Amino acid sequence: MFTYELQSVTTQKPDIEVVTVESHEMSLYILRLTIAGRQGVVFDKQTTRPAVFRSTEHIRAALSECKVAYAELIHLSPYDEMIGNGKSERAMVLPLFISPIE
């Protein structure tokens, strides 16, 4: 699996083809980015774990200087998470606007 370091993304400001935000437990968000055709999870360099965001505003702030072609929010079923099921067919995919609204 390919990974991106959050610190590198925020300093290099790449053109991002797709931002996929996965909602977990209603208040934790994990990012997957597609840059130059390569999809990967965003990791925090300091913890070597996936970078965790607490809100979509936190994500917008982190990616504010990157050009984002498309973004989506995948909202997993809370029921499936609660009982320990993996990915669900009931996931809801919504468009997400990363660029600040002017």
Side-chain angles (χ1 to χ4, degrees):
M1 172 175 62
F2 192 74
T3 62
Y4 293 102
E5 287 185 356
L6 178 60
Q7 294 79 359
S8 295
V9 170
T10 58
T11 56
Q12 295 175 2
K13 303 170 185 74
D15 290 346
I16 302 171
E17 297 163 19
V18 180
V19 172
T20 301
V21 179
E22 289 184 2
S23 172
H24 294 272
E25 298 179 12
M26 309 281 292
S27 64
L28 300 174
Y29 301 92
I30 295 176
L31 291 180
R32 282 186 282 134
L33 302 179
T34 303
I35 300 172
R38 295 183 76 177
Q39 184 184 58
V41 175
V42 176
F43 274 72
D44 186 334
K45 182 179 179 179
Q46 296 171 345
T47 64
T48 66
R49 294 179 181 211
V52 176
F53 297 85
R54 295 290 181 176
S55 69
T56 55
E57 287 305 314
H58 187 195
I59 295 165
R60 285 185 182 101
L63 302 177
S64 66
E65 296 189 34
C66 298
K67 182 180 174 186
V68 176
Y70 177 76
E72 64 186 7
L73 170 67
I74 298 177
H75 187 74
L76 303 172
S77 167
Y79 173 76
D80 287 326
E81 288 183 36
M82 191 170 52
I83 64 170
N85 286 346
K87 292 236 177 189
S88 169
E89 296 298 320
R90 293 180 287 238
M92 184 175 16
V93 180
L94 303 168
L96 181 68
F97 298 98
I98 295 293
S99 300
I101 299 172
E102 298 175 9

